[in-house]
Amino acid sequence: MNVDIFETTIEIDDGRIAESSDEIRKQVAEYESGDRTTFDLQVTVPEGMTGAVMNAMDAIPYGETRTYGDLAAALDTTPIAIGQACARNPVPLVVPCHRVVGSDGALKGYSAADGVTTKRRLLDLEAERSGHPRQTRLATHETHETHETQQ
């Protein structure tokens, strides 16, 4: 299913979520408006590394970030394996892969709609609503833009 947020569309595998499409859309709208900081949805995670990474991402609090390396250390794997599992997240936003950043704070990538532009907007929303001036080690807009042009 597709959900609209920030004038873009994110594809979510609603087959992995027990609740109805209407309920998913309602909770996404509440998240976007700042009325929701967690999703109250029952998600079936895949087995293996993707599922383990999804569980680790789900534990990252609203308004905070972790690095690919942080998750890799916790799961005894490599940052590259974490990035690959993030890219396979079938329910982006609901399981917050946008909260995973590079060791230097760079956004690196986002597999959902409009890539790092959407990731930036999600992180900015959470920073604003959580009262944190910035997420942990998150690069500024200027640093991010410079990083993208160098790749």
Side-chain angles (χ1 to χ4, degrees):
M1 72 175 283
N2 292 322
V3 295
D4 296 325
I5 187 167
F6 301 134
E7 301 167 359
T8 194
T9 302
I10 294 178
E11 185 177 340
I12 293 176
D13 181 355
D14 59 334
R16 294 213 170 259
I17 300 174
E19 289 74 16
S20 70
S21 297
D22 287 342
E23 180 63 22
I24 296 166
R25 284 189 176 89
K26 175 181 166 268
Q27 289 192 30
V28 169
E30 291 169 350
Y31 170 88
E32 183 178 20
S33 70
D35 294 331
R36 175 175 292 280
T37 59
T38 60
F39 290 95
D40 187 22
L41 301 169
Q42 184 179 346
V43 176
T44 302
V45 299
E47 292 186 18
M49 179 59 69
T50 299
V53 172
M54 287 176 67
N55 287 327
M57 290 185 298
D58 198 46
I60 303 170
Y62 182 91
E64 295 184 23
T65 61
R66 299 295 182 269
T67 68
Y68 295 97
D70 292 337
L71 296 185
L75 297 174
D76 194 29
T77 190
T78 66
I80 291 172
I82 298 298
Q84 291 169 340
C86 287
R88 290 189 300 270
N89 178 4
V91 289
L93 182 60
V94 175
V95 174
C97 50
H98 62 276
R99 296 182 189 151
V100 183
V101 299
S103 61
D104 62 354
L107 300 186
K108 299 293 182 187
Y110 188 59
S111 60
D114 297 328
V116 295
T117 300
T118 299
K119 185 173 186 173
R120 162 67 62 200
R121 291 191 73 185
L122 294 170
L123 293 173
D124 285 348
L125 169 76
E126 291 185 10
E128 178 185 320
R129 301 290 182 170
S130 69
H132 298 149
R134 272 285 182 220
Q135 279 78 16
T136 312
R137 296 181 281 199
L138 185 60
T140 64
H141 287 281
E142 294 78 26
T143 303
H144 168 67
E145 291 168 2
T146 301
H147 178 74
E148 269 198 10
T149 58
Q150 292 174 349
Q151 290 184 352

